[in-house]
Amino acid sequence: ILWPLLLTQTTINHREQLILLIVFIGTGLLWIGISIPLLYGKIGPNWWYGFRTRKTLANKEIWFEANKYMAKDFIILGCIQILYNLVLIVLPNTLPFLCAGNMLILIGGIVIILIRSLLYLRKL
């Protein structure tokens, strides 16, 4: 629904900006929400949810350690995304800045978390 808006406009009205900010803040809250059970070891090895590799699925202790490590990073990512968007609520901005900043946080954050988690997993 938002892609035509993203591709054709360089500025957005207040209502459209608010909708995007709510979506991006919601994404940050989602990262935090799905990370908390992993952080506290509430999710055991499974094929659907968590840091799933052959090594983590083969050993419960490794599963819980690796997921706890990864969950901390995802909580930080969620907080960064929420803070970024709370700042944008008070600043006048354009749509490319709003979307580009959030995409950079999301993609860059996920890549960094993946690399950090894989390096940590090698130590376990």
Side-chain angles (χ1 to χ4, degrees):
I1 294 173
L2 296 174
W3 283 111
L5 176 68
L6 297 174
L7 297 174
T8 60
Q9 291 182 303
T10 57
T11 60
I12 56 175
N13 64 40
H14 181 69
R15 180 175 174 260
E16 292 165 337
Q17 177 181 341
L18 189 59
I19 290 169
L20 284 172
L21 289 169
I22 290 169
V23 168
F24 290 131
I25 289 171
T27 304
L29 291 171
L30 180 66
W31 287 126
I32 294 168
I34 63 175
S35 296
I36 289 173
L38 294 169
L39 179 66
Y40 289 108
K42 301 293 184 187
I43 307 296
N46 68 81
W47 287 98
W48 301 101
Y49 178 33
F51 188 26
R52 300 170 314 272
T53 67
R54 279 186 240 153
K55 190 172 181 178
T56 59
L57 292 169
N59 184 319
K60 270 189 164 186
E61 289 178 22
I62 292 175
W63 168 270
F64 288 114
E65 275 300 310
N67 277 284
K68 183 177 181 177
Y69 185 85
M70 182 191 68
K72 289 176 187 176
D73 284 351
F74 269 109
I75 289 171
I76 292 168
L77 174 65
C79 290
I80 290 169
Q81 188 169 18
I82 291 167
L83 290 173
Y84 177 78
N85 286 287
L86 289 175
V87 168
L88 290 183
I89 286 174
V90 297
L91 295 177
N93 58 67
T94 61
L95 183 60
F97 178 72
L98 174 67
C99 293
N102 276 285
M103 294 313 293
L104 181 65
I105 290 169
L106 285 173
I107 294 170
I110 290 170
V111 168
I112 290 168
I113 291 169
L114 180 60
I115 292 168
R116 283 177 41 87
S117 297
L118 288 170
L119 291 173
Y120 183 72
L121 183 61
R122 290 175 76 187
K123 295 177 185 178
L124 296 178

